Amino acid sequence: MILIFLLISQYRFLPAIKVNDDPAGQAFHTTISSGQHSIAARGDTIYLAYRGDQTGQANIYFTKSTDGGRTWSPSIRVNYPNQGIFQTLAVSKNGHIFIAYDDRGPTDDIYFTKSTNGGISFTTPIRVNDIIEGVQKRPSIAVDSSGNKVFIAWDDIDNIYFSRSTDGGNSFSPSIRVNDSTLNWQIYPTICANENGETIYCAWQDKRNNNDYDIYFAKSVDGGISFGRNVLVNDTNGLSGVDQELPSIA
């Protein structure tokens, strides 16, 4: 007990540092994302995607720090041409950066972009979902260690959908449904994958049982071709007025 106390007592945080490079207090900024996957780190390099409204509309920006978070690079916009919200970020072992977001164009769709030069520039965003009806929202992204396999989950308010890329994000597979319930309100997915990208784990916020949200989980053991049965995670199911929300998985 004494040893634990001493270790904790010497742990400290540095002073807070402003990351966005537009004037402080002038616009809305947020790192909120489905699954809380807006940040990643490789050694002393930290990668961050965030939403910023400094131009009068919502856009997705990227910045990084190469000194453990003490200083940050100028922010660059990665979404075009429409507005973007609910960014999600992943970084492969070779430093390639992958970002997906909710594109707020004529319809809500899931778009994807990547950088292979350390975040100096990003590719032209491409649409991930092949579903044209409804609205597609709140993506969560994961990659394998090589960066060749990219996995994205999102919701359309009623269902959790998933698509994968096996060519580094140049193209994506047809969308498949992860949830095995046809009831409404299955939202806010979060995903992760193992090193070789053969096993993908997904959790989300689910209202199939009653008027309160539960957390459900499913996994794929075939690289995202299919997902297994849905499993209830929390043990508060059936308690009235008790919501379980906003899961994050690793």
Side-chain angles (χ1 to χ4, degrees), residues 215-229:
I215 304 302
Y216 271 79
F217 167 89
K219 72 175 179 178
S220 170
V221 295
D222 56 14
I225 296 174
S226 62
F227 279 81
R229 70 182 182 91

Side-chain angles (χ1 to χ4, degrees), residues 201-232:
Y201 306 93
C202 184
W204 64 93
Q205 189 174 314
D206 194 305
K207 201 179 256 193
R208 71 179 67 182
N209 294 316
N210 46 45
N211 291 325
D212 302 314
Y213 281 112
D214 293 304
I215 304 302
Y216 271 79
F217 167 89
K219 72 175 179 178
S220 170
V221 295
D222 56 14
I225 296 174
S226 62
F227 279 81
R229 70 182 182 91
N230 298 175
V231 180
L232 177 66

Side-chain angles (χ1 to χ4, degrees), residues 14 17 36 38 43 48 57 69-71 73 100-101 108 115 118 133 139 160 163 177-178 218 222 240:
L14 296 175
I17 298 168
Q36 317 313 316
S38 282
L48 179 71
Q57 66 174 21
R70 291 174 175 81
T71 59
S73 65
Y101 61 92
D108 281 54
S115 172
E133 67 273 7
I160 305 300
S163 181
R177 195 177 74 180
V178 177
D222 56 14
S240 178

Side-chain angles (χ1 to χ4, degrees), residues 7 19 40 60 64 73 75 85 91 96 125 150 157-158 164-165 169 188 208 212 214 223 226:
L7 288 173
V19 174
I60 307 302
K64 73 176 183 179
S73 65
S75 301
I85 62 173
V91 180
H96 291 179
V150 183
I157 300 178
D158 293 334
R164 65 181 184 139
S165 172
Y188 282 102
R208 71 179 67 182
D212 302 314
D214 293 304
S226 62

Side-chain angles (χ1 to χ4, degrees), residues 13-159:
F13 284 89
L14 296 175
I17 298 168
K18 186 171 77 72
V19 174
N20 55 289
D21 56 1
D22 58 301
Q26 300 299 305
F28 175 78
H29 303 81
T30 181
T31 59
I32 189 171
S33 68
S34 189
Q36 317 313 316
H37 291 170
S38 282
I39 193 168
R42 292 288 179 268
D44 283 338
T45 302
I46 306 171
Y47 309 85
L48 179 71
Y50 67 91
R51 168 187 168 180
D53 292 5
Q54 57 264 41
T55 64
Q57 66 174 21
N59 291 309
I60 307 302
Y61 292 91
F62 169 82
T63 181
K64 73 176 183 179
S65 170
T66 58
D67 56 9
R70 291 174 175 81
T71 59
W72 293 83
S73 65
S75 301
I76 63 171
R77 177 183 167 185
V78 303
N79 62 298
Y80 289 97
N82 304 313
Q83 297 189 67
I85 62 173
F86 280 111
Q87 70 293 332
T88 179
L89 174 146
V91 180
S92 60
K93 281 191 173 181
N94 59 6
H96 291 179
I97 305 155
F98 306 86
I99 294 176
Y101 61 92
D102 176 348
D103 180 84
R104 305 300 299 274
T107 59
D108 281 54
D109 292 297
I110 306 303
Y111 271 72
F112 166 85
T113 180
K114 69 177 180 179
S115 172
T116 58
N117 57 13
I120 296 172
S121 61
F122 282 79
T123 59
T124 300
I126 63 171
R127 192 177 72 177
V128 174
N129 56 286
D130 60 359
I131 304 166
I132 58 173
E133 67 273 7
V135 293
Q136 314 304 314
K137 292 176 172 290
R138 293 175 282 264
S140 183
I141 195 170
V143 299
D144 72 342
S145 60
S146 71
N148 291 325
K149 299 176 182 178
V150 183
F151 310 105
I152 300 176
W154 69 93
D155 74 73
D156 71 348
I157 300 178
D158 293 334
N159 299 287

